[in-house]
mmCIF file of all heavy atoms in Angstrom:
data_model
loop_
_atom_site.group_PDB
_atom_site.id
_atom_site.type_symbol
_atom_site.label_atom_id
_atom_site.label_comp_id
_atom_site.label_asym_id
_atom_site.label_seq_id
_atom_site.Cartn_x
_atom_site.Cartn_y
_atom_site.Cartn_z
ATOM 1 N N ALA E 268 -139.521 84.727 174.327
ATOM 2 C CA ALA E 268 -139.427 85.204 175.734
ATOM 3 C C ALA E 268 -139.680 84.079 176.715
ATOM 4 O O ALA E 268 -139.047 83.927 177.791
ATOM 5 C CB ALA E 268 -140.320 86.392 175.977
ATOM 6 N N TRP E 269 -140.653 83.262 176.354
ATOM 7 C CA TRP E 269 -141.033 82.115 177.164
ATOM 8 C C TRP E 269 -139.911 81.051 177.252
ATOM 9 O O TRP E 269 -139.488 80.556 178.275
ATOM 10 C CB TRP E 269 -142.352 81.482 176.737
ATOM 11 C CG TRP E 269 -142.814 80.275 177.473
ATOM 12 C CD1 TRP E 269 -142.827 80.134 178.839
ATOM 13 C CD2 TRP E 269 -143.078 79.003 176.915
ATOM 14 N NE1 TRP E 269 -143.286 78.825 179.183
ATOM 15 C CE2 TRP E 269 -143.450 78.159 177.994
ATOM 16 C CE3 TRP E 269 -143.151 78.524 175.584
ATOM 17 C CZ2 TRP E 269 -143.774 76.806 177.808
ATOM 18 C CZ3 TRP E 269 -143.564 77.164 175.416
ATOM 19 C CH2 TRP E 269 -143.835 76.373 176.546
ATOM 20 N N LEU E 270 -139.381 80.695 176.061
ATOM 21 C CA LEU E 270 -138.383 79.665 175.896
ATOM 22 C C LEU E 270 -136.965 80.140 176.371
ATOM 23 O O LEU E 270 -136.246 79.374 177.027
ATOM 24 C CB LEU E 270 -138.309 79.174 174.501
ATOM 25 C CG LEU E 270 -139.522 78.437 173.957
ATOM 26 C CD1 LEU E 270 -139.337 78.082 172.531
ATOM 27 C CD2 LEU E 270 -139.797 77.170 174.765
ATOM 28 N N LEU E 271 -136.605 81.342 176.029
ATOM 29 C CA LEU E 271 -135.252 81.837 176.203
ATOM 30 C C LEU E 271 -135.079 82.606 177.524
ATOM 31 O O LEU E 271 -133.946 82.692 178.076
ATOM 32 C CB LEU E 271 -134.761 82.746 175.051
ATOM 33 C CG LEU E 271 -134.768 82.017 173.700
ATOM 34 C CD1 LEU E 271 -134.430 83.036 172.605
ATOM 35 C CD2 LEU E 271 -133.760 80.910 173.630
ATOM 36 N N ALA E 272 -136.146 83.248 178.019
ATOM 37 C CA ALA E 272 -135.985 84.061 179.204
ATOM 38 C C ALA E 272 -136.962 83.722 180.307
ATOM 39 O O ALA E 272 -136.964 84.373 181.372
ATOM 40 C CB ALA E 272 -136.187 85.538 178.842
ATOM 41 N N ASP E 273 -137.729 82.668 180.079
ATOM 42 C CA ASP E 273 -138.728 82.188 181.099
ATOM 43 C C ASP E 273 -139.626 83.366 181.516
ATOM 44 O O ASP E 273 -139.951 83.481 182.719
ATOM 45 C CB ASP E 273 -138.019 81.571 182.267
ATOM 46 C CG ASP E 273 -138.951 80.764 183.154
ATOM 47 O OD1 ASP E 273 -139.942 80.265 182.610
ATOM 48 O OD2 ASP E 273 -138.678 80.620 184.362
ATOM 49 N N GLU E 274 -140.075 84.088 180.574
ATOM 50 C CA GLU E 274 -140.979 85.236 180.880
ATOM 51 C C GLU E 274 -142.445 85.000 180.355
ATOM 52 O O GLU E 274 -142.593 84.350 179.291
ATOM 53 C CB GLU E 274 -140.539 86.519 180.207
ATOM 54 C CG GLU E 274 -139.214 87.050 180.757
ATOM 55 C CD GLU E 274 -138.725 88.339 180.069
ATOM 56 O OE1 GLU E 274 -139.481 88.793 179.174
ATOM 57 O OE2 GLU E 274 -137.666 88.781 180.421
ATOM 58 N N ALA E 275 -143.430 85.363 181.077
ATOM 59 C CA ALA E 275 -144.823 85.221 180.750
ATOM 60 C C ALA E 275 -145.615 86.343 181.283
ATOM 61 O O ALA E 275 -145.348 86.875 182.358
ATOM 62 C CB ALA E 275 -145.391 83.903 181.123
ATOM 63 N N LEU E 276 -146.625 86.845 180.535
ATOM 64 C CA LEU E 276 -147.425 87.939 180.998
ATOM 65 C C LEU E 276 -148.580 87.441 181.828
ATOM 66 O O LEU E 276 -149.084 86.323 181.733
ATOM 67 C CB LEU E 276 -148.049 88.613 179.707
ATOM 68 C CG LEU E 276 -147.111 89.339 178.808
ATOM 69 C CD1 LEU E 276 -147.872 90.004 177.700
ATOM 70 C CD2 LEU E 276 -146.272 90.380 179.567
ATOM 71 N N ALA E 277 -149.059 88.326 182.762
ATOM 72 C CA ALA E 277 -150.221 88.085 183.581
ATOM 73 C C ALA E 277 -151.410 88.242 182.675
ATOM 74 O O ALA E 277 -151.422 88.886 181.672
ATOM 75 C CB ALA E 277 -150.202 89.042 184.733
ATOM 76 N N PRO E 278 -152.593 87.629 183.134
ATOM 77 C CA PRO E 278 -153.800 87.739 182.360
ATOM 78 C C PRO E 278 -154.241 89.197 182.033
ATOM 79 O O PRO E 278 -154.680 89.419 180.980
ATOM 80 C CB PRO E 278 -154.831 87.038 183.287
ATOM 81 C CG PRO E 278 -154.028 86.044 184.055
ATOM 82 C CD PRO E 278 -152.757 86.736 184.318
ATOM 83 N N ARG E 279 -154.076 90.047 183.041
ATOM 84 C CA ARG E 279 -154.419 91.491 182.768
ATOM 85 C C ARG E 279 -153.561 92.094 181.634
ATOM 86 O O ARG E 279 -154.064 92.874 180.848
ATOM 87 C CB ARG E 279 -154.288 92.277 184.106
ATOM 88 C CG ARG E 279 -154.623 93.726 183.931
ATOM 89 C CD ARG E 279 -154.797 94.426 185.260
ATOM 90 N NE ARG E 279 -153.595 94.245 186.129
ATOM 91 C CZ ARG E 279 -152.480 94.979 186.136
ATOM 92 N NH1 ARG E 279 -152.456 95.990 185.195
ATOM 93 N NH2 ARG E 279 -151.451 94.765 186.874
ATOM 94 N N GLU E 280 -152.286 91.719 181.622
ATOM 95 C CA GLU E 280 -151.393 92.214 180.565
ATOM 96 C C GLU E 280 -151.784 91.639 179.203
ATOM 97 O O GLU E 280 -151.671 92.332 178.238
ATOM 98 C CB GLU E 280 -149.926 91.915 180.974
ATOM 99 C CG GLU E 280 -149.473 92.675 182.189
ATOM 100 C CD GLU E 280 -148.105 92.167 182.712
ATOM 101 O OE1 GLU E 280 -147.878 90.990 182.650
ATOM 102 O OE2 GLU E 280 -147.315 93.031 183.049
ATOM 103 N N TRP E 281 -152.192 90.348 179.199
ATOM 104 C CA TRP E 281 -152.627 89.798 177.934
ATOM 105 C C TRP E 281 -153.854 90.534 177.397
ATOM 106 O O TRP E 281 -153.993 90.795 176.269
ATOM 107 C CB TRP E 281 -152.949 88.307 178.120
ATOM 108 C CG TRP E 281 -151.758 87.379 178.092
ATOM 109 C CD1 TRP E 281 -151.267 86.603 179.065
ATOM 110 C CD2 TRP E 281 -150.906 87.174 176.933
ATOM 111 N NE1 TRP E 281 -150.147 85.949 178.632
ATOM 112 C CE2 TRP E 281 -149.879 86.273 177.335
ATOM 113 C CE3 TRP E 281 -150.881 87.743 175.654
ATOM 114 C CZ2 TRP E 281 -148.909 85.834 176.430
ATOM 115 C CZ3 TRP E 281 -149.861 87.299 174.810
ATOM 116 C CH2 TRP E 281 -148.877 86.347 175.221
ATOM 117 N N LEU E 282 -154.770 90.845 178.350
ATOM 118 C CA LEU E 282 -156.033 91.534 177.926
ATOM 119 C C LEU E 282 -155.686 92.932 177.306
ATOM 120 O O LEU E 282 -156.195 93.286 176.275
ATOM 121 C CB LEU E 282 -156.978 91.695 179.107
ATOM 122 C CG LEU E 282 -158.232 92.469 178.918
ATOM 123 C CD1 LEU E 282 -159.123 91.845 177.766
ATOM 124 C CD2 LEU E 282 -159.037 92.619 180.176
ATOM 125 N N GLY E 283 -154.873 93.661 178.097
ATOM 126 C CA GLY E 283 -154.492 94.974 177.582
ATOM 127 C C GLY E 283 -153.758 94.892 176.208
ATOM 128 O O GLY E 283 -153.941 95.676 175.312
ATOM 129 N N GLY E 284 -152.867 93.865 176.116
ATOM 130 C CA GLY E 284 -152.135 93.727 174.926
ATOM 131 C C GLY E 284 -153.064 93.323 173.735
ATOM 132 O O GLY E 284 -152.807 93.760 172.564
ATOM 133 N N ALA E 285 -154.062 92.511 174.004
ATOM 134 C CA ALA E 285 -154.995 92.140 172.944
ATOM 135 C C ALA E 285 -155.741 93.340 172.480
ATOM 136 O O ALA E 285 -155.988 93.468 171.181
ATOM 137 C CB ALA E 285 -155.982 91.070 173.509
ATOM 138 N N ILE E 286 -156.121 94.274 173.293
ATOM 139 C CA ILE E 286 -156.765 95.481 172.826
ATOM 140 C C ILE E 286 -155.891 96.356 172.021
ATOM 141 O O ILE E 286 -156.270 96.960 171.008
ATOM 142 C CB ILE E 286 -157.369 96.203 174.082
ATOM 143 C CG1 ILE E 286 -158.398 95.423 174.796
ATOM 144 C CG2 ILE E 286 -157.972 97.587 173.680
ATOM 145 C CD1 ILE E 286 -158.927 96.037 176.081
ATOM 146 N N ILE E 287 -154.575 96.465 172.418
ATOM 147 C CA ILE E 287 -153.609 97.207 171.643
ATOM 148 C C ILE E 287 -153.425 96.632 170.252
ATOM 149 O O ILE E 287 -153.406 97.334 169.277
ATOM 150 C CB ILE E 287 -152.267 97.251 172.433
ATOM 151 C CG1 ILE E 287 -152.365 98.163 173.667
ATOM 152 C CG2 ILE E 287 -151.148 97.795 171.527
ATOM 153 C CD1 ILE E 287 -151.207 98.097 174.641
ATOM 154 N N VAL E 288 -153.391 95.287 170.221
ATOM 155 C CA VAL E 288 -153.269 94.608 168.927
ATOM 156 C C VAL E 288 -154.489 94.901 168.079
ATOM 157 O O VAL E 288 -154.432 95.097 166.859
ATOM 158 C CB VAL E 288 -153.063 93.125 169.113
ATOM 159 C CG1 VAL E 288 -153.172 92.359 167.756
ATOM 160 C CG2 VAL E 288 -151.642 92.857 169.740
ATOM 161 N N ALA E 289 -155.655 94.892 168.700
ATOM 162 C CA ALA E 289 -156.862 95.190 167.990
ATOM 163 C C ALA E 289 -156.847 96.636 167.402
ATOM 164 O O ALA E 289 -157.361 96.808 166.216
ATOM 165 C CB ALA E 289 -158.088 95.109 168.941
ATOM 166 N N ALA E 290 -156.218 97.559 168.053
ATOM 167 C CA ALA E 290 -156.057 98.898 167.527
ATOM 168 C C ALA E 290 -155.192 98.854 166.279
ATOM 169 O O ALA E 290 -155.438 99.496 165.233
ATOM 170 C CB ALA E 290 -155.408 99.861 168.518
ATOM 171 N N SER E 291 -154.102 98.071 166.269
ATOM 172 C CA SER E 291 -153.234 97.908 165.140
ATOM 173 C C SER E 291 -153.948 97.254 163.937
ATOM 174 O O SER E 291 -153.870 97.680 162.819
ATOM 175 C CB SER E 291 -152.001 97.088 165.495
ATOM 176 O OG SER E 291 -151.175 97.736 166.410
ATOM 177 N N LEU E 292 -154.797 96.229 164.298
ATOM 178 C CA LEU E 292 -155.529 95.592 163.173
ATOM 179 C C LEU E 292 -156.606 96.518 162.606
ATOM 180 O O LEU E 292 -156.854 96.498 161.440
ATOM 181 C CB LEU E 292 -156.222 94.338 163.736
ATOM 182 C CG LEU E 292 -155.250 93.170 164.095
ATOM 183 C CD1 LEU E 292 -156.083 92.032 164.785
ATOM 184 C CD2 LEU E 292 -154.554 92.699 162.885
#
Side-chain angles (χ1 to χ4, degrees):
W269 176 53
L270 293 175
L271 300 175
D273 196 26
E274 294 180 1
L276 294 179
R279 178 167 54 84
E280 292 171 321
W281 278 117
L282 176 60
I286 296 174
I287 290 171
V288 170
S291 293
L292 292 174

